[in-house]
Amino acid sequence: MNALTSLHIRNAKGQRRLAMLTAYDSGSADVIDSAGADMILIGDSLGMVVMGKTDTLSVRLEDVLHHCRAVCSSPRRALVVADLPFMSYESGPQRALESAGRLFQEGGARAVKLEGGRDVLPQVRALVQAGIPVMGHLGLTPQRMAVFGGFTVQGKNAQSAAQLVQDALALVEAGCFAVLLECVPRELAAHITRALDVPTIGIGAGPDCDGQVLVFHDAMGMMPGQQLRFVKRFAHLYPIMLEAARAYVAEVREGSFPASEHGVSMPEAEHEEFIKLYGGDAPR
Ligand code: KIV
């Protein structure tokens, strides 16, 4: 198994489309890796889909690190990218190096992703210079939702679209091996994809990006309720899991689980000896 590196991802531009999914534990990472995905993202979306929060702002470096260790508990073919969470890099290159260094050394990640454009170039340069590949993240950047006023599509007017193009070019110039575009109009994503010599990875950014990413729980249909417009459920696991959990509860209550095949019995002679010692009529 040859592990994919950021260089493989970069060189895939124009050769093949890239598939990326988030994972937060070793089981889902096994599934994603076995399916042949190119990249696994330990996204700070874990705050929402694993920790049950309404946004990603409370996710700490320790949280990403914990899930990163779980994902990297087995060697992966897919490139493992870990998110730098809110407040783990904004204050400058030194802080970014310390945070990303931990995700690399303690977590096992082989690339990091950070949100922002020209405002984070010093961080990107410092990381790349230290040998840590960086994926940029532009458009809807959930860590800045308090400023944007919510989860809203970015780059809808010509001026903000032009800003995003400049941000994308600057990120690549600073050394990013790929740029994730979240919730931007299709036309803008297509333009940025043509303008960059590294892959764009889209989510809610249309079909013209070089690759796509989805949150695992969304793609598998593990969350109840309405899905976001840009999400496609490739399975509907929530009703299946609910049904299974209900069946389990019912069988435990009525005593039909566990059945004899779900346990072990003592050898006959040992059982008789045991009864001689302690009496009783333990069921067989
Ligand atoms: O945290 C996350 O899961 C992300 C998405 C854009 C995939 O960054």
PDB file of all heavy atoms in Angstrom, residues 137-154:
ATOM      1  N   HIS A 137      -8.592  27.003   2.503  1.00  0.00           N
ATOM      2  CA  HIS A 137     -10.058  26.846   2.600  1.00  0.00           C
ATOM      3  C   HIS A 137     -10.668  28.225   2.439  1.00  0.00           C
ATOM      4  O   HIS A 137     -10.488  29.090   3.296  1.00  0.00           O
ATOM      5  CB  HIS A 137     -10.396  26.212   3.955  1.00  0.00           C
ATOM      6  CG  HIS A 137     -11.865  25.954   4.165  1.00  0.00           C
ATOM      7  ND1 HIS A 137     -12.327  25.040   5.090  1.00  0.00           N
ATOM      8  CD2 HIS A 137     -12.989  26.477   3.590  1.00  0.00           C
ATOM      9  CE1 HIS A 137     -13.647  25.012   5.076  1.00  0.00           C
ATOM     10  NE2 HIS A 137     -14.075  25.890   4.173  1.00  0.00           N
ATOM     11  N   LEU A 138     -11.391  28.426   1.325  1.00  0.00           N
ATOM     12  CA  LEU A 138     -11.990  29.722   1.011  1.00  0.00           C
ATOM     13  C   LEU A 138     -13.490  29.595   0.766  1.00  0.00           C
ATOM     14  O   LEU A 138     -14.004  28.509   0.529  1.00  0.00           O
ATOM     15  CB  LEU A 138     -11.352  30.278  -0.277  1.00  0.00           C
ATOM     16  CG  LEU A 138      -9.890  30.727  -0.211  1.00  0.00           C
ATOM     17  CD1 LEU A 138      -9.407  31.070  -1.619  1.00  0.00           C
ATOM     18  CD2 LEU A 138      -9.724  31.930   0.717  1.00  0.00           C
ATOM     19  N   GLY A 139     -14.154  30.745   0.754  1.00  0.00           N
ATOM     20  CA  GLY A 139     -15.600  30.771   0.515  1.00  0.00           C
ATOM     21  C   GLY A 139     -16.297  30.853   1.848  1.00  0.00           C
ATOM     22  O   GLY A 139     -15.977  31.710   2.680  1.00  0.00           O
ATOM     23  N   LEU A 140     -17.216  29.933   2.081  1.00  0.00           N
ATOM     24  CA  LEU A 140     -17.848  29.876   3.398  1.00  0.00           C
ATOM     25  C   LEU A 140     -16.811  29.267   4.354  1.00  0.00           C
ATOM     26  O   LEU A 140     -16.437  28.109   4.205  1.00  0.00           O
ATOM     27  CB  LEU A 140     -19.096  29.005   3.347  1.00  0.00           C
ATOM     28  CG  LEU A 140     -20.088  29.122   4.508  1.00  0.00           C
ATOM     29  CD1 LEU A 140     -21.334  28.337   4.191  1.00  0.00           C
ATOM     30  CD2 LEU A 140     -19.546  28.707   5.832  1.00  0.00           C
ATOM     31  N   THR A 141     -16.342  30.082   5.257  1.00  0.00           N
ATOM     32  CA  THR A 141     -15.346  29.609   6.222  1.00  0.00           C
ATOM     33  C   THR A 141     -16.037  29.619   7.587  1.00  0.00           C
ATOM     34  O   THR A 141     -16.147  30.662   8.229  1.00  0.00           O
ATOM     35  CB  THR A 141     -14.096  30.511   6.188  1.00  0.00           C
ATOM     36  OG1 THR A 141     -14.497  31.880   6.141  1.00  0.00           O
ATOM     37  CG2 THR A 141     -13.225  30.206   4.981  1.00  0.00           C
ATOM     38  N   PRO A 142     -16.518  28.443   8.045  1.00  0.00           N
ATOM     39  CA  PRO A 142     -17.384  28.392   9.231  1.00  0.00           C
ATOM     40  C   PRO A 142     -16.754  28.998  10.482  1.00  0.00           C
ATOM     41  O   PRO A 142     -17.459  29.462  11.361  1.00  0.00           O
ATOM     42  CB  PRO A 142     -17.645  26.898   9.409  1.00  0.00           C
ATOM     43  CG  PRO A 142     -17.451  26.308   8.057  1.00  0.00           C
ATOM     44  CD  PRO A 142     -16.386  27.123   7.409  1.00  0.00           C
ATOM     45  N   GLN A 143     -15.413  29.015  10.555  1.00  0.00           N
ATOM     46  CA  GLN A 143     -14.786  29.596  11.753  1.00  0.00           C
ATOM     47  C   GLN A 143     -15.012  31.105  11.821  1.00  0.00           C
ATOM     48  O   GLN A 143     -14.790  31.714  12.853  1.00  0.00           O
ATOM     49  CB  GLN A 143     -13.291  29.277  11.775  1.00  0.00           C
ATOM     50  CG  GLN A 143     -12.999  27.786  11.964  1.00  0.00           C
ATOM     51  CD  GLN A 143     -11.527  27.444  11.820  1.00  0.00           C
ATOM     52  OE1 GLN A 143     -10.655  28.311  11.846  1.00  0.00           O
ATOM     53  NE2 GLN A 143     -11.240  26.155  11.646  1.00  0.00           N
ATOM     54  N   ARG A 144     -15.441  31.713  10.696  1.00  0.00           N
ATOM     55  CA  ARG A 144     -15.685  33.169  10.706  1.00  0.00           C
ATOM     56  C   ARG A 144     -17.171  33.494  10.614  1.00  0.00           C
ATOM     57  O   ARG A 144     -17.554  34.591  10.210  1.00  0.00           O
ATOM     58  CB  ARG A 144     -14.932  33.813   9.544  1.00  0.00           C
ATOM     59  CG  ARG A 144     -13.443  33.669   9.780  1.00  0.00           C
ATOM     60  CD  ARG A 144     -12.638  33.985   8.576  1.00  0.00           C
ATOM     61  NE  ARG A 144     -11.279  33.471   8.839  1.00  0.00           N
ATOM     62  CZ  ARG A 144     -10.183  34.039   8.433  1.00  0.00           C
ATOM     63  NH1 ARG A 144     -10.240  35.136   7.731  1.00  0.00           N
ATOM     64  NH2 ARG A 144      -9.011  33.503   8.711  1.00  0.00           N
ATOM     65  N   MET A 145     -18.006  32.521  10.988  1.00  0.00           N
ATOM     66  CA  MET A 145     -19.448  32.730  10.842  1.00  0.00           C
ATOM     67  C   MET A 145     -19.954  33.884  11.711  1.00  0.00           C
ATOM     68  O   MET A 145     -20.934  34.542  11.375  1.00  0.00           O
ATOM     69  CB  MET A 145     -20.215  31.454  11.142  1.00  0.00           C
ATOM     70  CG  MET A 145     -20.042  30.938  12.539  1.00  0.00           C
ATOM     71  SD  MET A 145     -21.305  29.775  12.983  1.00  0.00           S
ATOM     72  CE  MET A 145     -22.731  30.809  13.046  1.00  0.00           C
ATOM     73  N   ALA A 146     -19.265  34.159  12.815  1.00  0.00           N
ATOM     74  CA  ALA A 146     -19.713  35.254  13.672  1.00  0.00           C
ATOM     75  C   ALA A 146     -19.570  36.592  12.939  1.00  0.00           C
ATOM     76  O   ALA A 146     -20.351  37.514  13.148  1.00  0.00           O
ATOM     77  CB  ALA A 146     -18.916  35.266  14.969  1.00  0.00           C
ATOM     78  N   VAL A 147     -18.582  36.684  12.055  1.00  0.00           N
ATOM     79  CA  VAL A 147     -18.385  37.906  11.267  1.00  0.00           C
ATOM     80  C   VAL A 147     -19.322  37.912  10.059  1.00  0.00           C
ATOM     81  O   VAL A 147     -19.938  38.928   9.740  1.00  0.00           O
ATOM     82  CB  VAL A 147     -16.911  38.011  10.790  1.00  0.00           C
ATOM     83  CG1 VAL A 147     -16.706  39.241   9.923  1.00  0.00           C
ATOM     84  CG2 VAL A 147     -15.966  38.027  11.983  1.00  0.00           C
ATOM     85  N   PHE A 148     -19.446  36.754   9.395  1.00  0.00           N
ATOM     86  CA  PHE A 148     -20.302  36.679   8.200  1.00  0.00           C
ATOM     87  C   PHE A 148     -21.786  36.717   8.556  1.00  0.00           C
ATOM     88  O   PHE A 148     -22.626  36.922   7.699  1.00  0.00           O
ATOM     89  CB  PHE A 148     -20.033  35.383   7.416  1.00  0.00           C
ATOM     90  CG  PHE A 148     -18.693  35.347   6.739  1.00  0.00           C
ATOM     91  CD1 PHE A 148     -18.007  34.158   6.572  1.00  0.00           C
ATOM     92  CD2 PHE A 148     -18.121  36.505   6.233  1.00  0.00           C
ATOM     93  CE1 PHE A 148     -16.776  34.109   5.937  1.00  0.00           C
ATOM     94  CE2 PHE A 148     -16.888  36.475   5.591  1.00  0.00           C
ATOM     95  CZ  PHE A 148     -16.215  35.281   5.450  1.00  0.00           C
ATOM     96  N   GLY A 149     -22.103  36.457   9.818  1.00  0.00           N
ATOM     97  CA  GLY A 149     -23.498  36.468  10.232  1.00  0.00           C
ATOM     98  C   GLY A 149     -24.208  35.157   9.937  1.00  0.00           C
ATOM     99  O   GLY A 149     -25.435  35.133   9.792  1.00  0.00           O
ATOM    100  N   GLY A 150     -23.485  34.064   9.814  1.00  0.00           N
ATOM    101  CA  GLY A 150     -24.121  32.752   9.626  1.00  0.00           C
ATOM    102  C   GLY A 150     -23.425  31.966   8.533  1.00  0.00           C
ATOM    103  O   GLY A 150     -22.378  32.381   8.023  1.00  0.00           O
ATOM    104  N   PHE A 151     -24.035  30.822   8.193  1.00  0.00           N
ATOM    105  CA  PHE A 151     -23.471  29.968   7.143  1.00  0.00           C
ATOM    106  C   PHE A 151     -24.052  30.434   5.807  1.00  0.00           C
ATOM    107  O   PHE A 151     -25.111  29.967   5.391  1.00  0.00           O
ATOM    108  CB  PHE A 151     -23.842  28.498   7.397  1.00  0.00           C
ATOM    109  CG  PHE A 151     -23.235  27.929   8.658  1.00  0.00           C
ATOM    110  CD1 PHE A 151     -24.016  27.724   9.782  1.00  0.00           C
ATOM    111  CD2 PHE A 151     -21.895  27.590   8.712  1.00  0.00           C
ATOM    112  CE1 PHE A 151     -23.462  27.190  10.938  1.00  0.00           C
ATOM    113  CE2 PHE A 151     -21.323  27.058   9.863  1.00  0.00           C
ATOM    114  CZ  PHE A 151     -22.108  26.861  10.982  1.00  0.00           C
ATOM    115  N   THR A 152     -23.378  31.367   5.151  1.00  0.00           N
ATOM    116  CA  THR A 152     -23.952  31.916   3.920  1.00  0.00           C
ATOM    117  C   THR A 152     -22.997  31.746   2.737  1.00  0.00           C
ATOM    118  O   THR A 152     -21.770  31.753   2.899  1.00  0.00           O
ATOM    119  CB  THR A 152     -24.263  33.424   4.073  1.00  0.00           C
ATOM    120  OG1 THR A 152     -23.133  34.042   4.682  1.00  0.00           O
ATOM    121  CG2 THR A 152     -25.492  33.670   4.927  1.00  0.00           C
ATOM    122  N   VAL A 153     -23.599  31.614   1.540  1.00  0.00           N
ATOM    123  CA  VAL A 153     -22.818  31.493   0.305  1.00  0.00           C
ATOM    124  C   VAL A 153     -21.944  32.735   0.144  1.00  0.00           C
ATOM    125  O   VAL A 153     -22.393  33.857   0.400  1.00  0.00           O
ATOM    126  CB  VAL A 153     -23.767  31.352  -0.913  1.00  0.00           C
ATOM    127  CG1 VAL A 153     -22.980  31.310  -2.215  1.00  0.00           C
ATOM    128  CG2 VAL A 153     -24.623  30.100  -0.771  1.00  0.00           C
ATOM    129  N   GLN A 154     -20.695  32.541  -0.251  1.00  0.00           N
ATOM    130  CA  GLN A 154     -19.764  33.662  -0.435  1.00  0.00           C
ATOM    131  C   GLN A 154     -19.462  33.847  -1.923  1.00  0.00           C
ATOM    132  O   GLN A 154     -19.608  32.910  -2.698  1.00  0.00           O
ATOM    133  CB  GLN A 154     -18.458  33.382   0.320  1.00  0.00           C
ATOM    134  CG  GLN A 154     -18.635  33.184   1.812  1.00  0.00           C
ATOM    135  CD  GLN A 154     -19.169  34.422   2.512  1.00  0.00           C
ATOM    136  OE1 GLN A 154     -18.637  35.519   2.332  1.00  0.00           O
ATOM    137  NE2 GLN A 154     -20.224  34.263   3.286  1.00  0.00           N
TER     138      GLN A 154
END
